[in-house]
Amino acid sequence: MDARPGQLSRRELVSGIGLLATAGGGLAAAVARAAAAAAVPAAAGDPAALARLERFVRLRSATGHVPVMWIADGLLLAKPAAGPARPLLRNTTLTFTQVAPRGAGAYDFRLEEVGYFRDVDTGAVLADWTNPVTGRRVAPRHYRTPEALRLGPRGPGIAPAPPGLEVRGVLDTLAELGGTVSIAEDLFVRIPAEPARAASATGPARAARAERFLASLGTYTGRVAATPGPFTDWVDCSFHYSTLNSFSDWLGFDGVDGAQSLRLAGIKRPHDEREAIPAWLRERVQREHADFLDVPRRWLADRWLEGATTAATEQRR
């Protein structure tokens, strides 16, 4: 159930990994390029942008920049051009993330996530599913994907992508109400039309694809009083994630105009708080991705954080 090159999962959209893999090279190489080559302007001389970035990282991170865990659940909906919007599937995700300072106004970010698509009514994880709009029988694309990018005051950045791809990142304060602050981390993507491809040694045949537009919209909310504090304090954070995209290939909407929207709600928890994971999800992950729950332990041992500069560390104490 791992993501395959050339297929865009939700997280592959955010990181650009699927797009890079489409252009050539393996998934591991794409992750390495994203981490090394992504560049975000530092917004030098813009104290408000830098302060917003610091707030955002407080919401996304944990004491000492150790990994954190995110648990989310929600719905995938469809809006055909000629019909009403309707829910299609539930989507449940379990994610580990880590943020590391890389100098003034720059952070590296990495993520690994498992996601399952489930029946809207019963909650069962689906091996196959009938699209209620088109009647087509398809296999839901459950996934496990990594992500690597650079965070800066102007938003997230990804590595160079195939020619014609347009990506714009935004980091902004969405609302500050009732003692809470909500910060939006958004990506807007345009994927050019692609011609049909015959089957070959490098991959299966693929029908022509029309121009596609993708929007990834994340909102992270916490207490205003906690966000300016030192990185020695834990900050609770809830998040809401949504997309507004052209139909994914695997959903069975071939030839149907319209859009899909994924709507998730979730929470941040310490990386070792396994009891917070719903029992069915924990058991499924342990059965199908035996090493996934060990991701934080491997990250803590791989010395990735040591790339942070002393100046950046001192600045954030």
Side-chain angles (χ1 to χ4, degrees):
M1 291 191 301
D2 292 355
R4 297 182 291 275
Q7 298 177 343
L8 286 175
S9 74
R10 181 172 71 89
R11 283 297 179 184
E12 288 172 321
L13 159 62
V14 177
S15 64
I17 291 170
L19 302 172
L20 289 166
T22 299
L27 190 60
V31 175
R33 288 200 300 273
V40 179
D46 187 347
L50 290 168
R52 181 170 56 243
L53 173 64
E54 294 297 314
R55 268 181 149 185
F56 178 68
V57 171
R58 292 289 289 118
L59 293 173
R60 290 285 258 152
S61 190
T63 304
H65 298 293
V66 299
V68 296
M69 177 174 66
W70 304 82
I71 308 165
D73 198 18
L75 290 170
L76 178 65
L77 302 98
K79 172 58 180 76
R86 62 185 301 170
L88 300 178
L89 296 159
R90 295 202 71 85
N91 183 209
T92 303
T93 65
L94 178 63
T95 311
F96 293 113
T97 67
Q98 189 175 21
V99 181
R102 301 301 191 207
Y107 290 86
D108 280 344
F109 175 89
R110 62 179 175 178
L111 167 154
E112 192 155 346
E113 178 174 285
V114 170
Y116 292 100
F117 289 99
R118 303 190 291 138
D119 184 88
V120 169
D121 296 319
T122 69
V125 176
L126 298 170
D128 53 59
W129 168 75
T130 300
N131 183 316
V133 177
T134 66
R136 296 190 179 102
R137 194 79 174 168
V138 299
R141 191 170 294 162
H142 312 303
Y143 58 91
R144 176 176 177 175
T145 56
E147 173 185 324
L149 51 78
R150 174 64 58 88
L151 298 173
R154 302 191 192 283
I158 64 173
L165 187 81
E166 297 175 9
V167 180
R168 181 170 62 91
V170 176
L171 188 67
D172 201 3
T173 300
L174 188 65
E176 192 166 329
L177 300 167
T180 67
V181 60
S182 296
I183 298 181
E185 180 199 30
D186 301 335
L187 274 174
F188 302 94
V189 180
R190 172 189 167 273
I191 303 175
E194 302 173 54
R197 183 179 66 193
S200 68
T202 61
R206 188 188 66 208
R209 291 172 173 169
E211 180 181 50
R212 288 172 290 167
F213 297 90
L214 312 173
S216 168
L217 312 171
T219 303
Y220 297 83
T221 301
R223 292 185 301 109
V224 170
T227 54
F231 274 85
T232 53
D233 298 334
W234 171 268
V235 176
D236 284 326
C237 177
S238 62
F239 80 98
H240 295 83
Y241 177 85
S242 62
T243 65
L244 187 58
N245 298 343
S246 302
F247 287 133
S248 295
D249 294 343
W250 66 266
L251 281 173
F253 279 105
D254 298 7
V256 177
D257 291 331
Q260 68 184 63
S261 178
L262 179 65
R263 184 175 64 187
L264 297 178
I267 56 170
K268 180 180 80 174
R269 300 307 307 153
H271 67 80
D272 56 355
E273 195 176 289
R274 294 188 179 185
E275 63 273 18
I277 307 170
W280 75 264
L281 179 59
R282 185 172 62 250
E283 293 166 3
R284 184 107 187 184
V285 169
Q286 288 174 326
R287 183 171 71 250
E288 297 182 349
H289 303 283
D291 64 333
F292 181 77
L293 294 179
D294 287 332
V295 165
R297 180 183 57 79
R298 294 198 303 273
W299 283 357
L300 289 170
D302 68 8
R303 307 179 74 169
W304 182 72
L305 270 177
E306 292 183 12
T309 66
T310 301
T313 304
E314 292 296 329
Q315 176 182 337
R316 290 165 177 79
R317 284 181 177 170

